[in-house]
Amino acid sequence: LEEEFAGQNLADIFASIDETPLASASIAQVHAAVLKTGEDVVIKVQKPNVATILYTDLGVLHVVTKLFEKAVPRVKFASLSEIVEEIRNRMVREVDFIEEAQNLEDFVQYLRDTQNQYATAPKVYHQYSTTRVLTMQRLYGVSLTDLEVVKQYAKDPSQVLIAAMNTWFGSLMMCNSFHAD
């Protein structure tokens, strides 16, 4: 965080940052925090050297699939190298949190355009986001897979799932990006 916000004192931005991550995945960790202005946020922080490792690994995989296709011409019809190239292009975009912030904005616009009242997306704090750090409004919720908990909040859990699926499928058609979340 200090490296990404060079020149700024973190204490001038955040009142507190929980050092224990709420979640951790291959690319980043998410930490709860509170802005100096009092808003609850989460900070998605990219792990060190993720981009370099990703570029290297996927580059090697792409070369290997190209060589494999040359060595075994029968498999060229499967377009393995093209599939790996597409995966590489998509994964490289995953490490750009500025692009992820824009994708969130696009999704919010989709919700507005469709007057969807069943879904939401966190507000992005662009002034506290960089290519490797994404600061967003903290949302609280429950897992859709825990029906007993969902029943506490919704009369008909199946309608919640239907609304979620309709939102997701609609976003596939109308948003500029795909996001599984």
Side-chain angles (χ1 to χ4, degrees):
L1 287 173
E2 289 172 351
E3 186 178 310
E4 286 299 298
F5 294 118
Q8 290 183 283
N9 185 345
L10 292 179
D12 292 338
I13 302 170
F14 301 102
S16 66
I17 301 172
D18 190 345
E19 289 186 31
T20 304
L22 291 170
S24 183
S26 58
I27 293 176
Q29 292 186 166
V30 177
H31 294 265
V34 177
L35 293 176
K36 277 294 229 186
T37 55
E39 293 122 302
D40 285 341
V41 295
V42 293
I43 311 167
K44 184 175 181 178
V45 182
Q46 196 171 110
K47 292 180 178 178
N49 303 316
V50 162
T52 302
I53 293 166
L54 190 63
Y55 295 140
T56 303
D57 290 352
L58 291 173
V60 168
L61 184 59
H62 186 251
V63 168
V64 168
T65 56
K66 285 278 213 197
L67 292 172
F68 182 67
E69 287 175 345
K70 284 186 184 207
V72 186
R74 297 186 303 235
V75 300
K76 184 138 178 87
F77 77 91
S79 304
L80 294 177
S81 62
E82 292 170 17
I83 292 169
V84 170
E85 178 69 18
E86 181 63 23
I87 291 169
R88 181 171 72 169
N89 290 339
R90 288 179 185 264
M91 290 299 293
V92 164
R93 293 171 66 191
E94 293 268 330
V95 298
D96 182 353
F97 290 170
I98 298 296
E99 185 168 335
E100 185 172 340
Q102 184 57 54
N103 292 342
L104 279 167
E105 299 290 345
D106 290 346
F107 183 72
V108 168
Q109 188 60 49
Y110 156 73
L111 294 175
R112 279 191 210 115
D113 291 348
T114 59
Q115 299 177 355
N116 185 321
Q117 302 292 310
Y118 301 107
T120 190
K123 171 185 173 185
V124 174
Y125 292 85
H126 293 279
Q127 69 273 34
Y128 307 129
S129 298
T130 69
T131 301
R132 295 179 21 201
V133 174
L134 180 58
T135 303
M136 302 170 281
Q137 169 191 17
R138 184 169 184 184
L139 299 177
Y140 297 87
V142 299
S143 172
L144 289 177
T145 60
D146 190 343
L147 285 179
E148 292 308 312
V149 175
V150 174
K151 285 179 185 177
Q152 295 174 20
Y153 296 94
K155 292 178 187 175
D156 186 355
S158 66
Q159 289 303 313
V160 173
L161 185 56
I162 289 168
M165 294 306 292
N166 285 337
T167 300
W168 185 72
F169 281 117
S171 72
L172 287 176
M173 303 299 242
M174 297 181 68
C175 290
N176 293 326
S177 65
F178 163 77
H179 202 296
D181 294 345

